[in-house]
Amino acid sequence: MSFVHAMPSRNVAGLLFAALTFAGTPAHRTPAASGVPGALAAVSAKLSEWKVELSQGTITAGIVTFTVTNAGSIPHAFEVEGQGIERETDVLQPGSSATLTLTLKPGTYEVYCPVGEDSHKKLGMETQLRVVPSRTIQAIRVTGGGPVIQILPGPFPFPDSAAPILQQFGDEREGLESQVKNGPYSNNVTPIAGTFTFAAWDQGAVRDSVDGIAAFRTQDGARWKLVLDRVQTKDVPHHPRFGGVILGLYYHGNTAVHTPLVPTINSAVALWALGHLYKNDALVTDNAMVHVMLLSRTRREGDFALACWDCSRNRIEELQLQILPGPGEPKFDAPGGFLFVNWEESSSGRTAR
């Protein structure tokens, strides 16, 4: 059984999250802002006797700019009402135009001409606009390289306060208790070498995805490569909400969320994946179980020993990579057991699929 832990160090200024908005019937977007959260959706409105025509009747929630043209032969105006909003343009003379920018939340809105104390509306100048919730796809890309720290088997400081929590873990209690004496957070470390780059998409439930490659050389000189191309979306047994990709998570330690055998942390991304694992260019397994976290720092500078049990207030600057055999597969051994990678920098960019 082997675990691989990786960490970027101080410089993570380039780390960004990308929230990409989609919907079943998307609004048209200005070219310069296409796909950017909060970008203006553009809707054209044509006024005439006696109707209001919209370029689309369903748009995505958010900031919307209406371009209104009076194509009729008498003065008209344009009003949007609903969900606590009631806004209108000035009266437009025939042939003139105006714009109206609003932030609209999901719901149905009345769109009409208010001229003549709503008499134009009563003559037929009204329609409805449907605003639907956006579907947000969050993505993160992490890349970098630098000194790598391999965590070797050995004891680590286990808090007495976690012992009662183990009672809640049923069949997994025995396995967790065995990690108390020889767990994934040993203070026994040694420098090695490696790189790790990945992108992860949080699309909800079984639609999450991941793409990445890790390459490292362990203390015994063996060369390892891990290729990530699919997430593991089945629930973790003792906490059924875990699996796939999760962006932004506060857990471990004394939170009563997930295992109490590691420090309390905040993570920018946590993902569970299946990977292809190679040793010295020979395939070890196509079904390695992989866990990755970009989290708040847990290790000291210099010797990289575990520095805290409530690490949630620390900067997010550790990248941890953990590898296990797949279900029913024989154990494989990465000599030394645990790996910890210290990145010189981590960066991210807008990503889409």
Side-chain angles (χ1 to χ4, degrees):
M1 182 177 297
S2 66
F3 294 79
V4 180
H5 283 220
M7 171 186 107
S9 70
R10 293 176 288 282
N11 183 9
V12 289
L15 180 63
L16 300 171
F17 288 98
L20 309 180
T21 302
F22 298 86
T25 310
H28 297 300
R29 297 191 180 274
T30 57
S34 179
V36 179
L40 298 181
V43 178
S44 298
K46 179 181 177 183
L47 310 178
S48 61
E49 296 80 34
W50 301 101
K51 58 186 176 181
V52 175
E53 299 173 271
L54 299 178
S55 59
Q56 54 199 306
T58 301
I59 61 173
T60 300
I63 301 172
V64 183
T65 292
F66 297 92
T67 300
V68 185
T69 300
N70 183 357
S73 57
I74 60 175
H76 294 296
F78 179 83
E79 183 163 335
V80 178
E81 181 178 348
Q83 308 299 318
I85 288 178
E86 188 171 1
R87 293 278 305 280
E88 64 185 81
T89 65
D90 293 334
V91 174
L92 303 176
Q93 297 301 316
S96 63
S97 298
T99 60
L100 180 65
T101 299
L102 304 173
T103 299
L104 302 183
K105 61 185 180 181
T108 300
Y109 294 79
E110 283 189 281
V111 179
Y112 58 91
C113 174
V115 169
E117 297 184 352
D118 288 353
S119 62
H120 286 198
K121 175 182 178 182
K122 294 173 183 177
L123 288 170
M125 292 190 69
E126 63 174 334
T127 188
Q128 287 189 334
L129 176 68
R130 181 170 172 255
V131 179
V132 298
S134 62
R135 178 169 62 84
T136 299
I137 298 177
Q138 293 181 297
I140 185 172
R141 183 180 297 277
V142 179
T143 184
V148 181
I149 305 301
Q150 182 174 1
I151 300 182
L152 304 170
F156 70 107
F158 178 72
D160 293 337
S161 60
I165 302 176
L166 291 178
Q167 306 296 327
Q168 306 172 18
F169 282 75
D171 294 340
E172 298 201 22
R173 176 182 169 185
E174 181 179 353
L176 292 172
E177 287 179 335
S178 70
Q179 293 183 28
V180 172
K181 296 181 179 179
N182 191 17
Y185 272 69
S186 165
N187 283 340
N188 186 16
V189 301
T190 186
I192 55 170
T195 60
F196 186 22
T197 299
F198 73 91
W201 292 265
D202 182 5
Q203 302 180 67
V206 297
R207 302 186 63 205
D208 294 349
S209 55
V210 65
D211 181 28
I213 294 181
F216 46 90
R217 185 184 295 271
T218 47
Q219 188 187 38
D220 65 346
R223 292 176 291 104
W224 297 83
K225 183 173 74 171
L226 174 71
V227 179
L228 298 178
D229 58 8
R230 62 206 191 281
V231 296
Q232 196 281 106
T233 56
K234 292 183 179 179
D235 294 334
V236 174
H238 52 268
H239 283 289
R241 289 187 298 276
F242 284 81
V245 176
I246 302 175
L247 298 185
L249 198 60
Y250 170 73
Y251 66 141
H252 289 323
N254 62 1
T255 64
V257 180
H258 214 261
T259 175
L261 299 182
V262 294
T264 302
I265 57 96
N266 272 312
S267 67
V269 59
L271 67 89
W272 291 260
L274 297 173
H276 312 277
L277 184 66
Y278 300 84
K279 180 180 180 181
N280 296 327
D281 299 324
L283 180 67
V284 176
T285 177
D286 274 326
N287 199 35
M289 296 188 69
V290 181
H291 180 37
V292 176
M293 286 193 301
L294 179 59
L295 72 157
S296 49
R297 175 178 277 272
T298 65
R299 296 280 170 163
R300 289 197 301 245
E301 296 281 357
D303 62 1
F304 299 101
L306 187 65
C308 50
W309 269 100
D310 184 355
C311 308
S312 58
R313 292 181 177 85
N314 294 348
R315 292 178 60 184
I316 293 179
E317 54 187 7
E318 289 187 9
L319 179 61
Q320 297 189 4
L321 170 62
Q322 185 180 106
I323 304 174
L324 293 167
E329 291 196 345
K331 294 181 180 180
F332 50 77
D333 181 34
F338 304 94
L339 295 175
F340 188 94
V341 178
N342 178 28
W343 296 103
E344 287 304 322
E345 69 177 83
S346 176
S347 62
S348 177
R350 186 172 306 282
T351 54
R353 280 207 149 173

